[in-house]
DNA sequence: ACCTTATCGTGACAGATGTCACAAGCAGGG
DNA sequence: CCCTGCTTGTGACATCTGTCACGATAAGGT
């Protein structure tokens, strides 16, 4: 309970959680920081430090109770409360995201998809109707979604973000390769492939 | 020249570069750290510090020469030498990546695509033939590609990574939601959407 | 009841990263 | 030619993040 979690620590918590949920059954009831660390490629001390930020629920000599830890992590991450997600921009990437079953297994469900291309609106994809972006506000309040994923072209991103915020969205995952500005109380994360490629490139160069 | 660049600093350099290349023409010949910082949402001091790690090429009172800075950044990131990239796993996500024009504009070209599904092998997508994964080694040496992107299912990731390394690939961008192990001299980057969603979720919870 | 063994939780340290503030330096005008 | 104004580059400082080492503690056997 001693220290505030670091910002990358939060992503490690998510990794721990994913590891726990991925190994299904037929496992020991307890897992040590050492084993957990191995599984996600970090150090045992790091794991303990991260977890200790949220109380003390390991038992010396045994490790952490898997089920309890899983539940605790789910609570910390707040996964129960954020299941519904909306998607804006059903192009190449958006379609892949809609098809992705990995979100499901992590408790997230894309409950609505939007676009502004009249040729796409009304079509069905993976059991979801692509809706007119102008219905955003109504659908967001109806589904009570708090998070949105945007995969629209870079120059449309800021406009879409503004609309999402007006509609009541509080957290946005942005795939467009551009920085957007949001009020302080809105959470924003970027996923930026080409920056990662650049970084890889740099590291190759300066090996 | 005073300090080593931080690891996140490298990603900022890539952002600076992208900003410079995105604003085309009709701009002042010089740009100040202040303006550059605004454009990528960082501080001016941060920009200067990052750039100063690679020598001194700003002029007091004026700022940085755009063209020179762009060239310098390209050199630092090593973009000239890493244009050819191969892709493994042409599913939902892989297809979107193949279609993505943004890599092109950042100097990267996907020169070959591989899969192990016999129904996909031989098909053409965006002017590229999907090839048998068993031809990996031959094609990699022929194209002299140093980087690879993998978008295969999580349980196939490690195998594919091993094959890529055998084939001579030195940097890998991994989209599979799993940690893979590589020798120390191989560079690896993960792009992990659902972890980012989890993080968003956490931040919503603990606003 | 006590001892052994394994593992946790955490204070103290080390290292990495970011911020501030200001002397130094170039450009352009009078 | 010097003065003014702006912007850089960087030492010193502050903060954040990760590592180490070890005392504390629970479980299980003897
Ligand atoms: N395709 C990839 O692999 C990839 C990779 C990295 C980043 N990205 C980024 O993701 C974003 C989407 O990429 P894509 O390849 O799917 O592009 P795309 O052009 O295929 O899809 C964009 C979609 O957004 C819709 N759209 C445009 N403006 C809109 C608006 N104002 N409101 C609602 N919908 C709108 C378009 O109709 C289209 O369906 C882009 O910013 C791209 O740079 C894509
Ligand atoms: N689709 C998404 O939006 C999305 C989002 C996040 C992460 N991911 C991850 O990206 C990866 C790909 O996702 P997807 O939706 O495209 O899956 P997919 O099943 O549509 O595509 C996977 C492709 O990989 C091929 N493949 C399987 N094993 C292979 C092997 N050993 N060698 C070569 N090719 C092989 C398959 O034939 C298939 O074409 C997965 O790990 C997924 O978890 C996808």
């Amino acid at each position: 309970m001693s220290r505030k979690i670091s910002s990358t620590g939060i992503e490690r918590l998510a990794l721990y959680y994913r590891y726990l949920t991925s190994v299904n059954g037929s496992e020991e009831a307890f897992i040590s920081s050492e084993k957990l660390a191995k599984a996600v490629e970090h150090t045992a001390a790091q794991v303990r430090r991260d977890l200790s930020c949220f109380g003390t629920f390991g038992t010396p000599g045994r490790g952490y109770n898997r089920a309890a830890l899983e539940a605790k992590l789910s609570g910390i991450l707040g996964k129960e409360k954020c299941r519904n997600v909306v998607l804006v921009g059903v192009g190449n990437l958006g379609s892949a995201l809609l098809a992705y079953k990995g979100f499901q297994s992590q408790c997230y469900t894309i409950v609505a998809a939007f676009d502004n291309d009249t040729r796409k609106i009304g079509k069905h994809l993976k059991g979801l109707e692509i809706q007119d972006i102008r219905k955003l506000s109504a659908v967001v309040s109806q589904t009570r979604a708090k998070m949105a994923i945007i995969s629209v072209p870079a120059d449309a991103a800021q406009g879409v973000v503004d609309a999402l915020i007006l509609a009541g969205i509080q957290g946005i995952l942005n795939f467009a390769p551009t920085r957007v500005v949001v009020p302080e109380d809105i959470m924003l994360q970027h996923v930026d492939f080409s920056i990662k490629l650049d970084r890889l490139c740099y590291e190759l160069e300066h090996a």
Side-chain angles (χ1 to χ4, degrees), chain A:
Chain A
M1 200 71 90
S2 57
R3 204 200 289 211
K4 228 191 79 196
I5 186 87
S6 70
S7 92
T8 45
I10 297 158
E11 299 196 2
R12 284 192 297 271
L13 292 179
L15 277 180
Y16 306 152
Y17 179 82
R18 186 164 68 192
Y19 171 72
L20 289 175
T21 51
S22 71
V23 274
N24 30 22
S26 79
E27 289 280 345
E28 305 272 338
F30 282 76
I31 184 169
S32 67
S33 56
E34 177 107 23
K35 270 195 189 156
L36 188 45
K38 282 259 170 58
V40 297
E41 300 207 89
H42 287 280
T43 67
Q46 182 75 78
V47 169
R48 292 200 297 276
R49 171 73 73 188
D50 288 339
L51 296 179
S52 78
C53 297
F54 297 93
T56 141
F57 38 95
T59 55
R62 310 272 282 135
Y64 299 89
N65 178 296
R66 291 186 106 102
L69 182 55
E70 191 179 315
K72 184 83 182 179
L73 285 172
S74 170
I76 293 169
L77 295 169
K79 290 176 87 86
E80 312 309 334
K81 300 179 189 166
C82 297
R83 291 202 219 95
N84 292 352
V85 181
V86 303
L87 174 79
V88 183
V90 190
N92 290 301
L93 183 57
S95 304
L97 292 170
L98 269 182
Y100 186 44
K101 290 166 291 294
F103 290 139
Q104 272 294 356
S105 66
Q106 285 294 309
C107 313
Y108 301 112
T109 310
I110 297 180
V111 292
F114 299 91
D115 208 300
N116 73 345
D117 184 335
T118 50
R119 286 164 303 180
K120 289 181 181 172
I121 294 169
K123 281 195 179 171
H124 284 257
L125 213 61
K126 304 288 157 185
L128 218 55
E129 183 184 342
I130 300 176
Q131 301 190 64
D132 191 320
I133 183 80
R134 283 171 293 188
K135 294 198 190 134
L136 194 62
S137 195
V139 176
V140 166
S141 43
Q142 189 208 319
T143 57
R144 276 193 268 282
K146 287 188 194 142
M147 301 203 293
I149 299 176
I150 75 174
S151 52
V152 297
D155 50 17
Q158 184 68 57
V160 168
V161 163
D162 294 344
L164 283 167
I165 294 171
L166 272 182
I169 289 293
Q170 295 163 31
I172 298 169
L173 186 61
N174 173 36
F175 283 89
T178 185
R179 305 286 122 171
V180 294
V181 299
V182 296
E184 228 178 69
D185 59 333
I186 302 295
M187 299 301 149
L188 180 64
Q189 287 286 315
H190 293 277
V191 176
D192 209 323
F193 306 0
S194 59
I195 295 293
K196 290 286 177 189
L197 262 189
D198 287 344
R199 177 157 178 190
L200 212 48
C201 206
Y202 172 89
E203 284 170 0
L204 243 57
E205 187 79 356
H206 306 74

